[in-house]
Amino acid sequence: KAVAKGDGAETNNLFSRALEMCLFLALPAATGLFIISFPVIITLFHHGAFDFRDAAMTTAVLTSYALGLPAYVAAKVYATAFWARQDTVSPVRASIIATIFNVGMSLWLALSAGAGVMGIAVATDMAGWLQIGLLQWWLVKRTDGRVFISGPTGLFLVLYGGRYRLDLSGRGACRFNRRRYDCLRSGDCY
């Protein structure tokens, strides 16, 4: 509704809240999978023909998948941002590109690079983050660089995004800028 009304501030606020909720749920889940995967795998599966070596390999794969979990959860939020703008093609295009990348990278890592099943897990993680990167890039292009992500999500992106910058104009938002992203260093924020 906010996109249809042309209310940019409310649109940005809703997008930020949705992304915050997604990270609020996905980051602890990914951290939990990363930390307790070995005891869970041992408890559930370590019996019969499933020996310690199998449990260790399954744990490695599960911890690798945990790294991509936030990306796959956030993809839904980004897709919704496009759907609200009556654009159903961009999320599908990003999914197709990520899937082709995933298949190609999985085959290369698993077979040529000798990573085996770990290569498939790593490629899947990379494909998830590629999809988020494409969706973010296209969303910024579509909104002429006026995508604001505020609050804790903005802080997260400032700390980890590299290309995000803090908006010191009093709104407390994080603004993506394709041309200049060094405003914290130069003090040239608008």
Side-chain angles (χ1 to χ4, degrees), residues 135-146:
L135 291 172
Q136 174 65 27
W137 181 40
W138 294 337
L139 187 60
V140 167
K141 280 177 51 177
R142 185 174 178 129
T143 59
D144 296 323
R146 304 260 185 247

Side-chain angles (χ1 to χ4, degrees), residues 21-128:
M21 184 56 72
C22 129
L23 292 175
F24 177 74
L25 297 172
L27 289 175
T31 303
L33 279 175
F34 193 83
I35 292 172
I36 66 167
S37 60
F38 187 69
V40 169
I41 296 297
I42 287 290
T43 302
L44 294 176
F45 301 112
H46 187 223
H47 55 80
F50 197 86
D51 62 7
F52 187 80
R53 183 180 166 279
D54 296 331
M57 180 57 74
T58 303
T59 299
V61 171
L62 182 60
T63 56
S64 178
Y65 279 127
L67 298 176
L69 180 64
Y72 284 101
V73 173
K76 170 66 171 120
V77 175
Y78 277 94
T80 304
F82 283 96
W83 297 335
R85 290 171 172 79
Q86 305 302 315
D87 181 3
T88 58
V89 174
S90 294
V92 172
R93 208 169 83 207
S95 294
I96 291 170
I97 291 169
T99 301
I100 291 169
F101 174 83
N102 188 3
V103 170
M105 189 60 82
S106 291
L107 290 172
W108 182 76
L109 287 173
L111 302 176
S112 299
V117 71
M118 275 300 295
I120 296 169
V122 169
T124 301
D125 293 341
M126 292 168 56

